[in-house]
Structures are given as C-alpha cells and as structure tokens.
Amino acid sequence: MDALELLTKHDIKPSLQRLAVMEYMLTHSTHPTVDEVYNALAPSIPTLSKTTIYNTLNLFEECGVVTYLGIDKKNARFDGNTTQHSHFRCNECGAIYDIMTQESGTVVLDEHPELVVNETHTYYKGYCKTCTKKLQPA
Amino acid sequence: MDALELLTKHDIKPSLQRLAVMEYMLTHSTHPTVDEVYNALAPSIPTLSKTTIYNTLNLFEECGVVTYLGIDKKNARFDGNTTQHSHFRCNECGAIYDIMTQESGTVVLDEHPELVVNETHTYYKGYCKTCTKKLQPA
DNA sequence: CTTTGTGCAAATTCTTTGCACCAAA
DNA sequence: TTTGGTGCAAAGAATTTGCACAAAG
C-alpha cells in the first residue's frame, strides 16, 4: 500500500507535506526521530517547518498509521511499519533493529482479564554484534 | 532486601538522600516520575533538590537497582521492582499496572543470535476496567 | 586534607501552542 | 467564503550542566 492510499484510507487529507512524511516513513525502517524526518525532507520542501513534522507524526500516530516507540530515552521515535514486530536497541551505539515475532491475535492477560489490551510493545535491550566485539576484543 | 543492603551491594555510597530515594522506590510500586519522588521526599528532607533526584535515579538505573520505563510519553518513570514483570498502561487515565510474567532465563532471539539481550521490556496499552466502563456505559 | 555528594541557577533540548497566512473545496 | 493545513516565533516542560559549598572518610 502506498502513501496516498494509506492516508486516504484513514481519512487524512493528503497534503504535500503529509504525503512526503508518509512516504518517508514507509521507505525508511530506521525508526526516525522528528529531527531526522525534518532533516531528510527539508531540502526538497524548502518551506517545511519542524512544527509540521510534529503535527503530522502526532496525527499519524492517533490515526494508527505510524507507531510511537518509547525505546529511546532522549527522543520520540516513530515506526511506519505497523505490523506486529518488536525492537532491539543496542545500549552502546543506539542502533535499533526490527525483530520479527509471531502474529498473535487478541491478547488477554491471564491474571487481568478486565484489562482491554490494544497494543503490545516489546523492547529488547543489550549489545549488537559490532559493539560486543568492540567491548570484548579477542 | 532493604535499601541499605541494596545500595551497599552495588557499591553505591548510602547517603541520606540516596537511602530515602531507594526506600521510596522499594515501598511504592507506582512507577513514579522524578517529580513524584521529589514531592514525596521534599517535606522530610527540606534541603532536597530535584537535581539530586535526577542524579540519584540515573545512578540507580546505571547500577541496575531501578529500571527505566519508557511507557509514558511525557515523563521518565522508574520501577524499584527489578524482578521480571511487564506493564499495562491505560490510554485513558494513565494508570500503570504490573503484570506478572514467567521468569525466563537468558533470551536468545531466534533470527538474531548475534544480539546479546540484557533486558526485555513488555508494555501493554489499552483501557482499564474503570475507563472501559466510563467510555461504554451500559 | 581529599574525595564525593548536594543543590542552586542557568543552560539545553524536546515539544507544544498561539496566531497569521495560505491553499483547497 | 469557509475550512483546515502550514509555519514562524514564543512558550512550556523535562532534563542536564557548571559550579560552589558541605559532608564524610
């Protein structure tokens, strides 16, 4: 599904800026911050403002077309891939990897059947291959 | 294990302030923010500064005696319970519940055996009993 | 003494808000 | 026109930093 279809499907009016942000999110699985999206798009949209990136990503998140990631203590990160998967973050270099996980249907918490679960987020933290080597040289 | 033992075991010098913060974290499973800890302790330690709470909680987190929770978009939250469990956050009222989960030993990600996993964080988001009722009255 | 923790104030960073202007229906 | 999006500048909030003083060994 391309950017235009996705926005239309969610009743989001497809402005130039919104299409550009959506397109960027769909083609970059880097879990970018607001700044990263802004810096990537600003050259091609000279009048672009960071406020618009905030507006747009917040709107997208409310509509469920991107996901907010709380994995990074400093900045908000967003993921354009809303299919079921989890994330690994390297404590050393900060790189974030996608980890594929099984689709699981409706989640019911055994001990808390009264809690209605809409989203499940799983974050792994540790060290990536490069940083493991760097920190424990042969 | 009490606050003093815990700090000593991690080679953290047990100042008055640090003991008070650790004690608070051990006796309040409310996943408090820096502000909440500060407001709770300030009356009994009149000279207390918020900087000290930041210093202390950051130190504790580095030493692994408290856990940082990225579940709340606005503020950093901390958990004095470092045993294996996950969290549920109500999208409506913001309440955070502990969800007990099975102890699982060393985690190895099937498709990424090269990633060394130190921590696994699972967050559920949805609606708690009270808010479910409120939003869908009989 | 010497090291280390504390706490004030200032600085930084991230994010939101108010408002005027622009664009599209 | 009227509605809604954009973007600037300012405000707001959370967190960090620099530095002087205090405390403990």
Side-chain angles (χ1 to χ4, degrees), chain A residues 13 15 17-18 47-49 51-52:
Chain A
K13 200 190 274 185
S15 71
Q17 291 82 344
R18 288 172 178 174
T47 63
L48 189 63
S49 127
T51 301
T52 297

PDB file of all heavy atoms in Angstrom, chain A residues 13 15 17-18 47-49 51-52, chain D residues 3-9 15-16:
ATOM      1  N   LYS A  13      -6.351  14.016   5.038  1.00  0.00           N
ATOM      2  CA  LYS A  13      -6.234  14.771   3.795  1.00  0.00           C
ATOM      3  C   LYS A  13      -4.774  14.766   3.335  1.00  0.00           C
ATOM      4  O   LYS A  13      -3.883  15.149   4.087  1.00  0.00           O
ATOM      5  CB  LYS A  13      -6.725  16.214   4.015  1.00  0.00           C
ATOM      6  CG  LYS A  13      -7.098  16.927   2.725  1.00  0.00           C
ATOM      7  CD  LYS A  13      -7.330  18.403   2.961  1.00  0.00           C
ATOM      8  CE  LYS A  13      -8.753  18.710   3.391  1.00  0.00           C
ATOM      9  NZ  LYS A  13      -8.980  20.185   3.506  1.00  0.00           N
ATOM     10  N   SER A  15      -1.987  16.212   2.082  1.00  0.00           N
ATOM     11  CA  SER A  15      -1.250  17.398   1.653  1.00  0.00           C
ATOM     12  C   SER A  15       0.129  16.974   1.160  1.00  0.00           C
ATOM     13  O   SER A  15       0.561  15.834   1.391  1.00  0.00           O
ATOM     14  CB  SER A  15      -1.090  18.360   2.821  1.00  0.00           C
ATOM     15  OG  SER A  15      -0.178  17.840   3.759  1.00  0.00           O
ATOM     16  N   GLN A  17       2.983  17.886   2.311  1.00  0.00           N
ATOM     17  CA  GLN A  17       3.837  17.561   3.459  1.00  0.00           C
ATOM     18  C   GLN A  17       3.506  16.190   4.044  1.00  0.00           C
ATOM     19  O   GLN A  17       4.396  15.409   4.361  1.00  0.00           O
ATOM     20  CB  GLN A  17       3.672  18.621   4.553  1.00  0.00           C
ATOM     21  CG  GLN A  17       4.227  19.998   4.220  1.00  0.00           C
ATOM     22  CD  GLN A  17       3.280  20.844   3.378  1.00  0.00           C
ATOM     23  OE1 GLN A  17       2.318  20.333   2.783  1.00  0.00           O
ATOM     24  NE2 GLN A  17       3.541  22.140   3.324  1.00  0.00           N
ATOM     25  N   ARG A  18       2.223  15.922   4.192  1.00  0.00           N
ATOM     26  CA  ARG A  18       1.824  14.649   4.785  1.00  0.00           C
ATOM     27  C   ARG A  18       2.230  13.481   3.905  1.00  0.00           C
ATOM     28  O   ARG A  18       2.665  12.442   4.398  1.00  0.00           O
ATOM     29  CB  ARG A  18       0.310  14.640   5.015  1.00  0.00           C
ATOM     30  CG  ARG A  18      -0.108  15.540   6.158  1.00  0.00           C
ATOM     31  CD  ARG A  18      -1.610  15.668   6.245  1.00  0.00           C
ATOM     32  NE  ARG A  18      -2.011  16.502   7.368  1.00  0.00           N
ATOM     33  CZ  ARG A  18      -3.258  16.869   7.597  1.00  0.00           C
ATOM     34  NH1 ARG A  18      -4.231  16.478   6.785  1.00  0.00           N
ATOM     35  NH2 ARG A  18      -3.531  17.626   8.641  1.00  0.00           N
ATOM     36  N   THR A  47      10.146  25.235   2.426  1.00  0.00           N
ATOM     37  CA  THR A  47       9.369  25.971   3.431  1.00  0.00           C
ATOM     38  C   THR A  47       8.999  25.106   4.632  1.00  0.00           C
ATOM     39  O   THR A  47       8.364  25.592   5.571  1.00  0.00           O
ATOM     40  CB  THR A  47       8.061  26.503   2.814  1.00  0.00           C
ATOM     41  OG1 THR A  47       7.277  25.388   2.402  1.00  0.00           O
ATOM     42  CG2 THR A  47       8.335  27.410   1.636  1.00  0.00           C
ATOM     43  N   LEU A  48       9.367  23.852   4.598  1.00  0.00           N
ATOM     44  CA  LEU A  48       8.960  22.905   5.644  1.00  0.00           C
ATOM     45  C   LEU A  48       9.348  23.382   7.045  1.00  0.00           C
ATOM     46  O   LEU A  48      10.427  23.923   7.247  1.00  0.00           O
ATOM     47  CB  LEU A  48       9.606  21.537   5.383  1.00  0.00           C
ATOM     48  CG  LEU A  48       9.129  20.379   6.257  1.00  0.00           C
ATOM     49  CD1 LEU A  48       7.654  20.104   6.028  1.00  0.00           C
ATOM     50  CD2 LEU A  48       9.948  19.131   5.970  1.00  0.00           C
ATOM     51  N   SER A  49       8.448  23.168   7.978  1.00  0.00           N
ATOM     52  CA  SER A  49       8.730  23.547   9.358  1.00  0.00           C
ATOM     53  C   SER A  49       8.691  22.312  10.252  1.00  0.00           C
ATOM     54  O   SER A  49       7.987  21.343   9.976  1.00  0.00           O
ATOM     55  CB  SER A  49       7.709  24.569   9.829  1.00  0.00           C
ATOM     56  OG  SER A  49       7.097  24.170  11.028  1.00  0.00           O
ATOM     57  N   THR A  51       7.449  22.144  13.115  1.00  0.00           N
ATOM     58  CA  THR A  51       6.105  22.054  13.686  1.00  0.00           C
ATOM     59  C   THR A  51       5.232  21.133  12.848  1.00  0.00           C
ATOM     60  O   THR A  51       4.456  20.338  13.385  1.00  0.00           O
ATOM     61  CB  THR A  51       5.449  23.446  13.752  1.00  0.00           C
ATOM     62  OG1 THR A  51       6.270  24.298  14.544  1.00  0.00           O
ATOM     63  CG2 THR A  51       4.067  23.366  14.351  1.00  0.00           C
ATOM     64  N   THR A  52       5.359  21.243  11.555  1.00  0.00           N
ATOM     65  CA  THR A  52       4.552  20.405  10.674  1.00  0.00           C
ATOM     66  C   THR A  52       4.900  18.930  10.846  1.00  0.00           C
ATOM     67  O   THR A  52       4.020  18.069  10.822  1.00  0.00           O
ATOM     68  CB  THR A  52       4.735  20.840   9.209  1.00  0.00           C
ATOM     69  OG1 THR A  52       4.262  22.179   9.089  1.00  0.00           O
ATOM     70  CG2 THR A  52       3.967  19.935   8.256  1.00  0.00           C
TER      71      THR A  52
ATOM     72  P    DT D   3     -16.694  27.115   8.416  1.00  0.00           P
ATOM     73  OP1  DT D   3     -17.996  26.933   9.057  1.00  0.00           O
ATOM     74  OP2  DT D   3     -15.722  28.100   8.982  1.00  0.00           O
ATOM     75  O5'  DT D   3     -15.975  25.695   8.317  1.00  0.00           O
ATOM     76  C5'  DT D   3     -16.017  24.936   7.098  1.00  0.00           C
ATOM     77  C4'  DT D   3     -14.624  24.402   6.804  1.00  0.00           C
ATOM     78  O4'  DT D   3     -13.842  25.403   6.125  1.00  0.00           O
ATOM     79  C3'  DT D   3     -13.828  24.015   8.052  1.00  0.00           C
ATOM     80  O3'  DT D   3     -13.600  22.622   8.025  1.00  0.00           O
ATOM     81  C2'  DT D   3     -12.547  24.840   7.969  1.00  0.00           C
ATOM     82  C1'  DT D   3     -12.498  25.216   6.495  1.00  0.00           C
ATOM     83  N1   DT D   3     -11.772  26.478   6.182  1.00  0.00           N
ATOM     84  C2   DT D   3     -10.815  26.437   5.196  1.00  0.00           C
ATOM     85  O2   DT D   3     -10.526  25.436   4.581  1.00  0.00           O
ATOM     86  N3   DT D   3     -10.201  27.648   4.963  1.00  0.00           N
ATOM     87  C4   DT D   3     -10.438  28.860   5.599  1.00  0.00           C
ATOM     88  O4   DT D   3      -9.824  29.861   5.298  1.00  0.00           O
ATOM     89  C5   DT D   3     -11.463  28.816   6.621  1.00  0.00           C
ATOM     90  C7   DT D   3     -11.793  30.057   7.370  1.00  0.00           C
ATOM     91  C6   DT D   3     -12.080  27.651   6.864  1.00  0.00           C
ATOM     92  P    DG D   4     -12.902  21.878   9.266  1.00  0.00           P
ATOM     93  OP1  DG D   4     -13.478  20.539   9.392  1.00  0.00           O
ATOM     94  OP2  DG D   4     -12.867  22.804  10.426  1.00  0.00           O
ATOM     95  O5'  DG D   4     -11.421  21.724   8.706  1.00  0.00           O
ATOM     96  C5'  DG D   4     -11.200  21.269   7.369  1.00  0.00           C
ATOM     97  C4'  DG D   4      -9.756  21.492   7.014  1.00  0.00           C
ATOM     98  O4'  DG D   4      -9.517  22.906   6.809  1.00  0.00           O
ATOM     99  C3'  DG D   4      -8.783  21.065   8.128  1.00  0.00           C
ATOM    100  O3'  DG D   4      -7.687  20.438   7.511  1.00  0.00           O
ATOM    101  C2'  DG D   4      -8.389  22.375   8.775  1.00  0.00           C
ATOM    102  C1'  DG D   4      -8.380  23.286   7.551  1.00  0.00           C
ATOM    103  N9   DG D   4      -8.465  24.714   7.842  1.00  0.00           N
ATOM    104  C8   DG D   4      -9.237  25.359   8.768  1.00  0.00           C
ATOM    105  N7   DG D   4      -9.063  26.656   8.777  1.00  0.00           N
ATOM    106  C5   DG D   4      -8.120  26.877   7.785  1.00  0.00           C
ATOM    107  C6   DG D   4      -7.524  28.080   7.317  1.00  0.00           C
ATOM    108  O6   DG D   4      -7.732  29.232   7.708  1.00  0.00           O
ATOM    109  N1   DG D   4      -6.608  27.831   6.288  1.00  0.00           N
ATOM    110  C2   DG D   4      -6.310  26.590   5.784  1.00  0.00           C
ATOM    111  N2   DG D   4      -5.401  26.546   4.802  1.00  0.00           N
ATOM    112  N3   DG D   4      -6.847  25.464   6.212  1.00  0.00           N
ATOM    113  C4   DG D   4      -7.747  25.683   7.206  1.00  0.00           C
ATOM    114  P    DG D   5      -6.593  19.750   8.347  1.00  0.00           P
ATOM    115  OP1  DG D   5      -6.624  18.317   8.016  1.00  0.00           O
ATOM    116  OP2  DG D   5      -6.676  20.203   9.745  1.00  0.00           O
ATOM    117  O5'  DG D   5      -5.278  20.368   7.692  1.00  0.00           O
ATOM    118  C5'  DG D   5      -5.075  20.213   6.294  1.00  0.00           C
ATOM    119  C4'  DG D   5      -3.837  20.971   5.883  1.00  0.00           C
ATOM    120  O4'  DG D   5      -4.069  22.384   6.063  1.00  0.00           O
ATOM    121  C3'  DG D   5      -2.589  20.640   6.698  1.00  0.00           C
ATOM    122  O3'  DG D   5      -1.491  20.567   5.800  1.00  0.00           O
ATOM    123  C2'  DG D   5      -2.466  21.770   7.698  1.00  0.00           C
ATOM    124  C1'  DG D   5      -3.074  22.941   6.912  1.00  0.00           C
ATOM    125  N9   DG D   5      -3.735  23.948   7.744  1.00  0.00           N
ATOM    126  C8   DG D   5      -4.691  23.751   8.701  1.00  0.00           C
ATOM    127  N7   DG D   5      -5.096  24.858   9.265  1.00  0.00           N
ATOM    128  C5   DG D   5      -4.358  25.844   8.636  1.00  0.00           C
ATOM    129  C6   DG D   5      -4.354  27.256   8.828  1.00  0.00           C
ATOM    130  O6   DG D   5      -5.031  27.929   9.612  1.00  0.00           O
ATOM    131  N1   DG D   5      -3.444  27.886   7.976  1.00  0.00           N
ATOM    132  C2   DG D   5      -2.649  27.246   7.064  1.00  0.00           C
ATOM    133  N2   DG D   5      -1.830  28.008   6.324  1.00  0.00           N
ATOM    134  N3   DG D   5      -2.637  25.932   6.877  1.00  0.00           N
ATOM    135  C4   DG D   5      -3.519  25.308   7.694  1.00  0.00           C
ATOM    136  P    DT D   6      -0.068  20.268   6.336  1.00  0.00           P
ATOM    137  OP1  DT D   6       0.631  19.573   5.255  1.00  0.00           O
ATOM    138  OP2  DT D   6      -0.154  19.695   7.681  1.00  0.00           O
ATOM    139  O5'  DT D   6       0.511  21.741   6.445  1.00  0.00           O
ATOM    140  C5'  DT D   6       0.583  22.521   5.275  1.00  0.00           C
ATOM    141  C4'  DT D   6       1.322  23.813   5.552  1.00  0.00           C
ATOM    142  O4'  DT D   6       0.502  24.652   6.394  1.00  0.00           O
ATOM    143  C3'  DT D   6       2.664  23.629   6.262  1.00  0.00           C
ATOM    144  O3'  DT D   6       3.641  24.357   5.529  1.00  0.00           O
ATOM    145  C2'  DT D   6       2.427  24.219   7.653  1.00  0.00           C
ATOM    146  C1'  DT D   6       1.308  25.221   7.392  1.00  0.00           C
ATOM    147  N1   DT D   6       0.384  25.522   8.522  1.00  0.00           N
ATOM    148  C2   DT D   6       0.152  26.836   8.852  1.00  0.00           C
ATOM    149  O2   DT D   6       0.684  27.769   8.283  1.00  0.00           O
ATOM    150  N3   DT D   6      -0.730  27.021   9.894  1.00  0.00           N
ATOM    151  C4   DT D   6      -1.394  26.048  10.613  1.00  0.00           C
ATOM    152  O4   DT D   6      -2.160  26.338  11.513  1.00  0.00           O
ATOM    153  C5   DT D   6      -1.101  24.682  10.212  1.00  0.00           C
ATOM    154  C7   DT D   6      -1.758  23.546  10.931  1.00  0.00           C
ATOM    155  C6   DT D   6      -0.241  24.485   9.203  1.00  0.00           C
ATOM    156  P    DG D   7       5.201  24.173   5.825  1.00  0.00           P
ATOM    157  OP1  DG D   7       5.955  24.398   4.582  1.00  0.00           O
ATOM    158  OP2  DG D   7       5.368  22.924   6.584  1.00  0.00           O
ATOM    159  O5'  DG D   7       5.486  25.394   6.805  1.00  0.00           O
ATOM    160  C5'  DG D   7       5.433  26.710   6.292  1.00  0.00           C
ATOM    161  C4'  DG D   7       5.643  27.707   7.414  1.00  0.00           C
ATOM    162  O4'  DG D   7       4.506  27.653   8.306  1.00  0.00           O
ATOM    163  C3'  DG D   7       6.873  27.432   8.288  1.00  0.00           C
ATOM    164  O3'  DG D   7       7.453  28.679   8.628  1.00  0.00           O
ATOM    165  C2'  DG D   7       6.274  26.783   9.536  1.00  0.00           C
ATOM    166  C1'  DG D   7       4.985  27.572   9.637  1.00  0.00           C
ATOM    167  N9   DG D   7       3.934  26.967  10.455  1.00  0.00           N
ATOM    168  C8   DG D   7       3.643  25.634  10.609  1.00  0.00           C
ATOM    169  N7   DG D   7       2.630  25.416  11.416  1.00  0.00           N
ATOM    170  C5   DG D   7       2.224  26.694  11.809  1.00  0.00           C
ATOM    171  C6   DG D   7       1.183  27.111  12.679  1.00  0.00           C
ATOM    172  O6   DG D   7       0.374  26.405  13.288  1.00  0.00           O
ATOM    173  N1   DG D   7       1.131  28.502  12.794  1.00  0.00           N
ATOM    174  C2   DG D   7       1.967  29.376  12.157  1.00  0.00           C
ATOM    175  N2   DG D   7       1.764  30.667  12.391  1.00  0.00           N
ATOM    176  N3   DG D   7       2.950  29.003  11.348  1.00  0.00           N
ATOM    177  C4   DG D   7       3.024  27.655  11.216  1.00  0.00           C
ATOM    178  P    DC D   8       9.031  28.848   8.429  1.00  0.00           P
ATOM    179  OP1  DC D   8       9.272  29.363   7.080  1.00  0.00           O
ATOM    180  OP2  DC D   8       9.692  27.600   8.889  1.00  0.00           O
ATOM    181  O5'  DC D   8       9.374  29.992   9.484  1.00  0.00           O
ATOM    182  C5'  DC D   8       8.827  31.288   9.298  1.00  0.00           C
ATOM    183  C4'  DC D   8       8.239  31.803  10.601  1.00  0.00           C
ATOM    184  O4'  DC D   8       7.172  30.941  11.036  1.00  0.00           O
ATOM    185  C3'  DC D   8       9.228  31.841  11.762  1.00  0.00           C
ATOM    186  O3'  DC D   8       9.629  33.191  11.978  1.00  0.00           O
ATOM    187  C2'  DC D   8       8.441  31.291  12.952  1.00  0.00           C
ATOM    188  C1'  DC D   8       7.017  31.164  12.431  1.00  0.00           C
ATOM    189  N1   DC D   8       6.276  30.011  12.989  1.00  0.00           N
ATOM    190  C2   DC D   8       5.188  30.246  13.830  1.00  0.00           C
ATOM    191  O2   DC D   8       4.875  31.412  14.101  1.00  0.00           O
ATOM    192  N3   DC D   8       4.491  29.198  14.324  1.00  0.00           N
ATOM    193  C4   DC D   8       4.861  27.953  14.009  1.00  0.00           C
ATOM    194  N4   DC D   8       4.142  26.947  14.509  1.00  0.00           N
ATOM    195  C5   DC D   8       5.964  27.685  13.157  1.00  0.00           C
ATOM    196  C6   DC D   8       6.644  28.739  12.669  1.00  0.00           C
ATOM    197  P    DA D   9      10.904  33.494  12.907  1.00  0.00           P
ATOM    198  OP1  DA D   9      11.723  34.520  12.227  1.00  0.00           O
ATOM    199  OP2  DA D   9      11.502  32.211  13.315  1.00  0.00           O
ATOM    200  O5'  DA D   9      10.230  34.126  14.207  1.00  0.00           O
ATOM    201  C5'  DA D   9       8.888  34.626  14.155  1.00  0.00           C
ATOM    202  C4'  DA D   9       8.314  34.590  15.558  1.00  0.00           C
ATOM    203  O4'  DA D   9       7.586  33.353  15.763  1.00  0.00           O
ATOM    204  C3'  DA D   9       9.365  34.638  16.656  1.00  0.00           C
ATOM    205  O3'  DA D   9       8.878  35.449  17.728  1.00  0.00           O
ATOM    206  C2'  DA D   9       9.529  33.188  17.056  1.00  0.00           C
ATOM    207  C1'  DA D   9       8.089  32.703  16.926  1.00  0.00           C
ATOM    208  N9   DA D   9       7.935  31.259  16.742  1.00  0.00           N
ATOM    209  C8   DA D   9       8.770  30.404  16.062  1.00  0.00           C
ATOM    210  N7   DA D   9       8.372  29.147  16.084  1.00  0.00           N
ATOM    211  C5   DA D   9       7.182  29.194  16.818  1.00  0.00           C
ATOM    212  C6   DA D   9       6.276  28.201  17.194  1.00  0.00           C
ATOM    213  N6   DA D   9       6.408  26.912  16.864  1.00  0.00           N
ATOM    214  N1   DA D   9       5.206  28.574  17.925  1.00  0.00           N
ATOM    215  C2   DA D   9       5.066  29.859  18.255  1.00  0.00           C
ATOM    216  N3   DA D   9       5.860  30.897  17.956  1.00  0.00           N
ATOM    217  C4   DA D   9       6.917  30.485  17.227  1.00  0.00           C
ATOM    218  P    DT D  15      12.046  13.982  32.543  1.00  0.00           P
ATOM    219  OP1  DT D  15      11.984  12.630  31.953  1.00  0.00           O
ATOM    220  OP2  DT D  15      11.617  14.221  33.928  1.00  0.00           O
ATOM    221  O5'  DT D  15      13.536  14.510  32.354  1.00  0.00           O
ATOM    222  C5'  DT D  15      14.084  14.554  31.031  1.00  0.00           C
ATOM    223  C4'  DT D  15      15.394  15.272  31.056  1.00  0.00           C
ATOM    224  O4'  DT D  15      15.199  16.672  31.353  1.00  0.00           O
ATOM    225  C3'  DT D  15      16.395  14.760  32.091  1.00  0.00           C
ATOM    226  O3'  DT D  15      17.473  14.156  31.384  1.00  0.00           O
ATOM    227  C2'  DT D  15      16.798  16.009  32.879  1.00  0.00           C
ATOM    228  C1'  DT D  15      16.377  17.141  31.951  1.00  0.00           C
ATOM    229  N1   DT D  15      16.060  18.435  32.594  1.00  0.00           N
ATOM    230  C2   DT D  15      16.797  19.555  32.225  1.00  0.00           C
ATOM    231  O2   DT D  15      17.686  19.512  31.403  1.00  0.00           O
ATOM    232  N3   DT D  15      16.446  20.712  32.865  1.00  0.00           N
ATOM    233  C4   DT D  15      15.453  20.867  33.824  1.00  0.00           C
ATOM    234  O4   DT D  15      15.235  21.962  34.325  1.00  0.00           O
ATOM    235  C5   DT D  15      14.721  19.666  34.154  1.00  0.00           C
ATOM    236  C7   DT D  15      13.621  19.718  35.185  1.00  0.00           C
ATOM    237  C6   DT D  15      15.047  18.522  33.535  1.00  0.00           C
ATOM    238  P    DT D  16      18.795  13.671  32.096  1.00  0.00           P
ATOM    239  OP1  DT D  16      19.314  12.546  31.312  1.00  0.00           O
ATOM    240  OP2  DT D  16      18.550  13.539  33.545  1.00  0.00           O
ATOM    241  O5'  DT D  16      19.777  14.914  31.870  1.00  0.00           O
ATOM    242  C5'  DT D  16      19.904  15.445  30.564  1.00  0.00           C
ATOM    243  C4'  DT D  16      20.912  16.572  30.569  1.00  0.00           C
ATOM    244  O4'  DT D  16      20.357  17.720  31.244  1.00  0.00           O
ATOM    245  C3'  DT D  16      22.230  16.240  31.275  1.00  0.00           C
ATOM    246  O3'  DT D  16      23.268  16.659  30.404  1.00  0.00           O
ATOM    247  C2'  DT D  16      22.166  17.062  32.567  1.00  0.00           C
ATOM    248  C1'  DT D  16      21.309  18.243  32.146  1.00  0.00           C
ATOM    249  N1   DT D  16      20.520  18.908  33.201  1.00  0.00           N
ATOM    250  C2   DT D  16      20.617  20.271  33.353  1.00  0.00           C
ATOM    251  O2   DT D  16      21.346  20.972  32.685  1.00  0.00           O
ATOM    252  N3   DT D  16      19.811  20.798  34.338  1.00  0.00           N
ATOM    253  C4   DT D  16      18.937  20.110  35.164  1.00  0.00           C
ATOM    254  O4   DT D  16      18.263  20.696  35.999  1.00  0.00           O
ATOM    255  C5   DT D  16      18.891  18.684  34.954  1.00  0.00           C
ATOM    256  C7   DT D  16      17.990  17.852  35.800  1.00  0.00           C
ATOM    257  C6   DT D  16      19.672  18.153  34.000  1.00  0.00           C
TER     258       DT D  16
END
